[in-house]
Amino acid sequence: MTRPRRYGDAGQAFPIYITVVGGLLFLALAYFAVGQATVNRSGAQTAADAAALAAAQERRDQLVAEWTKDVLDPSKWQQIFEGDGQELSSPCWRASELASQNDARMLGCSPHGPLDFTVDVETNKTMGKSVVPITESKRSKAHAEAVITRLCEFKPLPVNAGSEVLPRLTCKDGKYWDIDPKELTDLPKAQDLFDVHLVG
């Protein structure tokens, strides 16, 4: 003997089933929106990091060019190694360029001393459409800071040393340069004199 089907129970379960499925679908869309926001934010941070490093590297290259030009005048070495060159233009154009290459725009570029640069950027793309209405027009912003660290030290020469001798550059990892004023073809490179890295 077969039992009769209870259609009333099935009818009551259907709205619950629809509610549960709808809730799960909403959660899935919400997680997707969070994922979109995370990817957008990550892109903004990548752009900010690249921009800050570009500004610092541009300033480093300017300092090395100044040092190379004045290498025979060791009285100027100290101020150059401290970031105080004579003909330094703002390196923020490089930061703007790198932000643009990473699909963002630079909001600000500020030097904090001659060897420290902070950059703020905003993504060109929004977070996209999702169940969270604000993401359609929301752009991610990010901040980054890069610093230049000198890698070499030197002892000033005695006053009576003359022009035939230049100070020895003692650098990281035991490297050193004894620069011959008559033979300036083997000068240290930018990466030998300064390190550029992100902080924070």
Side-chain angles (χ1 to χ4, degrees):
M1 184 174 185
T2 58
R3 296 178 62 185
R5 293 182 180 178
R6 300 177 66 182
Y7 292 104
D9 289 348
Q12 290 174 359
F14 186 71
I16 297 173
Y17 173 78
I18 292 297
T19 302
V20 170
V21 170
L24 290 174
L25 182 60
F26 180 82
L27 284 175
L29 292 173
Y31 278 121
F32 178 71
V34 170
Q36 281 182 304
T38 301
V39 169
N40 199 262
R41 169 69 184 175
S42 177
Q45 192 60 58
T46 297
D49 291 348
L53 285 171
Q57 288 169 349
E58 175 65 18
R59 174 51 51 86
R60 178 200 64 184
D61 292 347
Q62 290 175 349
L63 291 170
V64 173
E66 283 267 303
W67 179 78
T68 302
K69 183 185 70 175
D70 293 325
V71 70
L72 295 177
D73 186 358
S75 66
K76 295 181 179 180
W77 286 18
Q78 187 62 36
Q79 67 180 33
I80 292 173
F81 275 87
E82 291 174 353
D84 186 19
Q86 297 299 310
E87 301 176 7
L88 303 180
S89 58
S90 171
C92 288
W93 68 272
R94 278 291 289 152
S96 179
E97 190 174 73
L98 264 289
S100 179
Q101 289 175 13
N102 284 276
D103 203 17
R105 67 185 184 93
M106 189 175 72
L107 299 177
C109 173
S110 305
H112 292 274
L115 301 175
D116 188 336
F117 294 89
T118 61
V119 175
D120 294 281
V121 306
E122 180 181 66
T123 56
N124 291 326
K125 293 180 181 178
T126 64
M127 296 179 191
K129 293 182 179 180
S130 73
V131 293
V132 184
I134 193 173
T135 63
E136 190 171 353
S137 59
K138 184 75 172 176
R139 290 178 171 81
S140 293
K141 296 179 182 179
H143 173 88
E145 180 177 3
V147 297
I148 307 165
T149 306
R150 60 185 288 179
L151 299 177
C152 300
E153 301 291 337
F154 64 92
K155 292 181 179 179
L157 293 173
V159 177
N160 60 350
S163 60
E164 299 299 314
V165 181
L166 293 173
R168 166 180 279 192
L169 279 174
T170 304
C171 305
K172 192 176 179 181
D173 299 328
K175 292 181 180 179
Y176 64 89
W177 274 268
D178 289 319
I179 301 169
D180 184 350
K182 298 178 182 179
E183 186 64 43
L184 299 177
T185 57
D186 187 27
L187 294 177
K189 297 179 174 58
Q191 59 268 29
D192 297 317
L193 298 175
F194 297 99
D195 177 51
V196 176
H197 59 275
L198 295 168
V199 297

